[in-house]
């Protein structure tokens, strides 16, 4: 496969570049993630990491009063949307508010990214100890919202 074909296959990067508010925020691999957050993402093959965006930082000027989502990550031509946040029962509503913001933003401002979203592509990664267990009603509420709660994100 020649380099031009390989470049064209990065659907995540194409989607980001087609989304004007974040086009200039694209970074290779996991570079857009803050160092402590980067450690919580474990790709099986780092060569499949196709770039990342620090959405919160990139969009803070456009949405200063919003509860913005943290990151978008491209892996194997799919987009993953990652929020690194304390995983305590009292934080569920705050994360769901961020998820609502993300869904609205994707539908209105980033349809190209929405098209390449991975199945189960919205992930809440516990920034510390994960205190929400599968038997808790808060866990069920998070799952019902279509959000995966993880200690570490293992990418296939």
């Amino acid at each position: 496969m020649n380099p031009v074909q390989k470049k064209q296959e990065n659907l995540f990067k194409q989607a980001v570049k087609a989304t004007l508010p974040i086009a200039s925020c694209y970074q290779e691999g996991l570079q857009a993630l803050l160092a402590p957050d980067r450690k919580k993402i474990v790709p099986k093959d780092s060569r499949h990491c196709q770039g990342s965006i620090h959405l919160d930082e990139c969009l803070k000027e456009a949405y200063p009063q919003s509860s913005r989502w943290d990151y978008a990550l491209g892996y194997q031509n799919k987009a993953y949307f990652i929020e690194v946040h304390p995983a305590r029962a009292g934080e569920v509503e705050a994360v769901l508010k961020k998820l609502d913001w993300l869904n609205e933003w994707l539908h209105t401002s980033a349809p190209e990214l929405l098209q390449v979203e991975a199945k189960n592509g919205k992930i809440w990664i516990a920034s510390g100890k994960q205190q929400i267990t599968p038997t808790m009603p808060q866990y069920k509420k998070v799952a019902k919202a279509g959000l995966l709660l993880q200690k570490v994100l293992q990418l296939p």
Side-chain angles (χ1 to χ4, degrees):
M1 181 180 304
N2 71 43
V4 173
Q5 287 173 316
K6 197 169 196 170
K7 193 175 222 179
Q8 289 174 344
E9 288 183 4
N10 188 338
L11 299 180
F12 176 76
K13 185 175 183 178
Q14 289 176 11
V16 169
K17 294 297 183 182
T19 306
L20 293 180
I22 62 168
S24 65
C25 299
Y26 174 86
Q27 293 188 41
E28 295 291 331
L30 300 175
Q31 291 178 24
L33 282 73
L34 299 175
D37 298 343
R38 195 177 308 136
K39 293 176 184 174
K40 295 183 172 288
I41 298 174
V42 182
K44 184 174 183 178
D45 186 343
S46 62
R47 293 175 295 176
H48 294 298
C49 288
Q50 297 175 301
S52 53
I53 304 289
H54 188 182
L55 292 172
D56 186 27
E57 184 65 29
C58 189
L59 295 171
K60 73 178 178 183
E61 216 173 281
Y63 301 91
Q65 303 301 317
S66 297
S67 295
R68 299 172 304 277
W69 201 253
D70 284 340
Y71 306 108
L73 166 67
Y75 187 77
Q76 293 185 334
N77 279 325
K78 297 291 182 190
Y80 293 84
F81 301 95
I82 299 161
E83 176 67 24
V84 181
H85 198 92
R88 297 187 299 265
E91 295 296 320
V92 169
E93 292 307 319
V95 172
L96 292 179
K97 184 176 179 183
K98 288 177 172 234
L99 180 63
D100 287 344
W101 176 87
L102 175 66
N103 287 328
E104 177 68 20
W105 180 79
L106 287 169
H107 282 91
T108 59
S109 301
E112 294 86 356
L113 273 175
L114 192 58
Q115 288 177 2
V116 296
E117 180 183 351
K119 183 179 182 189
N120 299 317
K122 294 182 180 106
I123 300 107
W124 173 3
I125 299 176
S127 60
K129 186 177 178 192
Q130 185 172 324
Q131 298 177 3
I132 302 171
T133 64
T135 58
M136 296 172 71
Q138 293 88 346
Y139 188 94
K140 291 172 176 72
K141 189 172 187 177
V142 166
K144 187 176 180 182
L147 190 55
L148 291 178
L149 179 55
Q150 306 280 309
K151 288 172 118 172
V152 173
L153 176 59
Q154 302 271 346
L155 292 167

